[in-house]
Amino acid sequence: RVRQRVDWHGREIIDRLHAEKPNVIFLVPHGWAVDIPAMLLASEGQMMAAMFHNQSDPLLDYVWNSARRRFGGRMHARNDGIKPFISSVRQGYWGYYLPDQDHGAEHSEFVDFFATYKAT
């Protein structure tokens, strides 16, 4: 149902990448519907890999990650580091990476990112 409501701008770029089969990492800023593009691509059969942050509420964590995994793909916990994610990309999965996460002043840099100031 969601796919019927989506109008992809620049979809020809995604289709070209799919045909050429390069290693791909999408650099995606956080936003309201942040997971939708990756879920739509996975629902079309594209192998996707993403990183996630565990939620503090175990029930919410289960529900949220179950929705993310509905169409397959690989989910990598951020606390496991980036290496498993990169390994998936090297194996042909398209990476879906959200760099704008605030991990505290000691572990983050604040930079201009998509017309706003974000932690990464």
Side-chain angles (χ1 to χ4, degrees):
R1 282 188 257 168
V2 173
R3 190 178 303 128
Q4 298 166 4
R5 298 172 186 259
V6 172
D7 182 18
W8 289 88
H9 296 278
R11 178 60 195 242
E12 66 278 1
I13 297 167
I14 292 171
D15 293 339
R16 189 183 75 237
L17 290 171
H18 185 73
E20 295 173 1
K21 301 201 183 311
N23 291 341
V24 174
I25 297 177
F26 290 98
L27 183 65
V28 184
H30 272 97
W32 180 77
V34 70
D35 292 308
I36 299 297
M39 292 170 68
L40 286 173
L41 289 169
S43 75
E44 295 173 3
Q46 177 60 50
M47 297 186 313
M48 300 296 294
M51 296 184 77
F52 70 95
H53 215 313
N54 290 101
Q55 303 297 312
S56 57
D57 180 326
L59 178 60
L60 183 60
D61 189 61
Y62 171 79
V63 170
W64 193 235
N65 287 315
S66 293
R68 289 173 169 158
R69 289 185 176 103
R70 179 175 179 194
F71 300 106
R74 292 184 178 167
M75 297 293 298
H76 301 286
R78 283 194 179 271
N79 54 349
D80 292 339
I82 199 163
K83 287 182 181 183
F85 172 78
I86 296 297
S87 177
S88 288
V89 171
R90 288 183 175 148
Q91 292 171 28
Y93 287 76
W94 282 5
Y96 200 75
Y97 185 71
L98 290 76
D100 57 323
Q101 294 262 329
D102 187 346
H103 297 282
E106 202 171 298
H107 301 288
S108 298
E109 287 290 326
F110 288 84
V111 298
D112 289 328
F113 187 68
F114 288 87
T116 189
Y117 198 60
K118 293 287 217 167
T120 190

